[in-house]
Amino acid sequence: MDETVRRDPGAHRVLTGDRPTGPLHLGHYFGSLRNRVRLQRLGVEMFLVIPDYQVITDRDVADRLAEHTENLVLDYLATGIDADRATIFTHSAVPALNQLLLPFLSLVSVAELHRNPTVKDEIAHSSQSAVNGLMLTYPVHQAADILFCKADLVPVGKDQLPHLEVSRTVARRFNERYPHPDGRTVFPRPRALLDAAPLLLGTDGGKMSKSRGNSIPLGADEDTTARLLKGAKTDTDRRITYDPATRPEVSNLVLLAALCQDRTPEEVAEEIGDGGAAALKRTVTEAVNEHLRPIRARRADFAADRGHLRDVLRAGNERANTIADATLAEVREVMGSL
Ligand code: ATP
Ligand code: MG
């Protein structure tokens, strides 16, 4: 964690989130969730958006939306997010946040929207035959998610870096175009915080993703975890090494074991040596199951009270609305009450 945050956690605000498209996985955990919990424990205020409109960027209907949303809250609480100090909300429940999208869209060009490499990748994996407008504009929607609460820290995976650039551009252009009468700027320029595994690979060797059938869910049981990891792609070289550039799949598994055991990937690779992919997978499975055991136990406890999960969301939506209303009022003021 960087020193400026540690010195004055109260001066910062975090916003990040996850699409309600399925259960959270190890990529989320080592890419962003752990960092969120650390930041919250330091005393940084935490906003977690569940961007439900984003679900219909790459598919026709948002399937099992309420269930996925509640399960995200469950995963947050299980991994250590303190619901009493965090604002967990769905962006569709916060109208003023969505209204920010209108002025924000006027600040970016169509060419800029088309150039975004993450959007291109998501279009390639989309189940739709044509690209819809929401897909192309969702990085700007994300700028509204981040800027409505004036967050300056965004713990995310590597796929989100191009989007963070959009948010920074929107903030800068807005501040330049609409100076505040008293001289201060309306929006901070948010920055991404990457964690130890900014791009964890899934069992097929591509980015681990909820909706690509290649993930190890945090809430999976131990046997399912073992089965999924057994099917992970590796290579034919028996000697296990850590070399992400030339052996991405094997190195990804080595990294996963190392993160779970709080060791270096080199140590893990050295220990497995000539044991081959089977030994590597046994080590990873044990490491993952052991690391997740307390999280899964907490998850089971929280899962017993679905009403509590809904209450957490209701309170979060209420607080997010209060903040979004205030930001929108400020935006309308500097824009001359559009
Ligand atoms: P979907 O398949 O629905 O897009 P996803 O698994 O990509 O789901 P998102 O909700 O899109 O998850 O992303 C939530 C957050 O988790 C983002 O900050 C993203 O960067 C991070 N993240 C997602 N997948 C990974 C991964 N494999 N490694 C590291 N970070 C990840
Ligand atoms: Mg994604």
Side-chain angles (χ1 to χ4, degrees), residues 6 35 41 55 57 61 67 71 114 132 178 192 195 207-208 212 214 230 241 245 248 282 284 289 311 316 327 330:
R6 209 180 286 281
N35 235 351
R41 289 189 180 148
V55 177
T57 55
V61 288
E67 180 192 333
N71 284 338
H114 277 288
N132 72 34
Y178 304 108
D195 202 351
K207 179 184 106 61
M208 188 179 284
R212 296 185 192 175
N214 67 356
K230 204 167 179 190
T241 55
R282 271 197 305 277
V284 182
N289 278 338
D311 287 345
T327 302
E330 195 181 353

Side-chain angles (χ1 to χ4, degrees), residues 73-282:
V73 180
L74 183 54
D75 281 330
Y76 296 155
L77 303 188
T79 47
I81 292 290
D82 176 356
D84 291 336
R85 292 187 299 133
T87 302
I88 305 176
F89 66 101
T90 52
H91 67 181
S92 70
V94 187
L97 179 161
N98 291 288
Q99 194 171 328
L100 291 177
L101 187 57
L102 298 175
F104 286 2
L105 278 172
S106 76
L107 299 167
V108 292
S109 71
V110 173
E112 284 171 318
L113 294 174
H114 277 288
R115 268 202 300 273
N116 190 302
T118 298
V119 171
K120 283 187 188 163
D121 181 59
E122 285 173 355
I123 288 170
H125 286 89
S126 158
S127 65
Q128 294 191 308
S129 52
V131 181
N132 72 34
L134 198 59
M135 167 63 101
L136 210 59
T137 55
Y138 93 76
V140 185
H141 203 163
Q142 220 166 288
D145 293 340
I146 295 170
L147 296 176
F148 95 94
C149 64
K150 305 195 178 187
D152 65 325
L153 301 176
V154 191
V156 283
K158 197 173 162 193
D159 59 304
Q160 291 296 314
L161 294 182
H163 297 354
L164 247 292
E165 259 335 290
V166 175
S167 290
R168 291 167 63 80
T169 301
V170 165
R172 178 173 52 78
R173 290 183 187 161
F174 187 94
N175 291 337
E176 280 167 10
R177 194 168 297 179
Y178 304 108
H180 199 282
D182 71 12
R184 69 193 159 88
T185 53
V186 175
F187 293 116
R189 292 189 73 192
R191 65 188 168 96
L193 294 177
L194 294 180
D195 202 351
L199 183 61
L200 198 76
L201 305 183
T203 51
D204 60 356
K207 179 184 106 61
M208 188 179 284
S209 296
K210 290 187 227 92
S211 37
R212 296 185 192 175
N214 67 356
S215 74
I216 317 288
L218 295 178
D221 62 35
E222 299 201 358
D223 290 346
T224 306
T225 304
R227 182 175 51 76
L228 292 171
L229 282 167
K230 204 167 179 190
K233 196 171 162 194
T234 50
D235 57 39
T236 51
D237 192 346
R238 271 199 77 76
R239 176 140 198 96
I240 299 305
T241 55
Y242 182 66
D243 190 353
T246 58
R247 301 183 75 188
E249 296 92 358
V250 162
S251 301
N252 187 62
L253 291 175
V254 171
L255 175 66
L256 198 45
L259 289 170
C260 290
Q261 297 177 333
D262 206 11
R263 296 201 292 167
T264 67
E266 289 78 10
E267 264 168 24
V268 173
E270 181 67 33
E271 192 178 281
I272 299 168
D274 288 324
L280 171 61
K281 287 178 181 179
R282 271 197 305 277

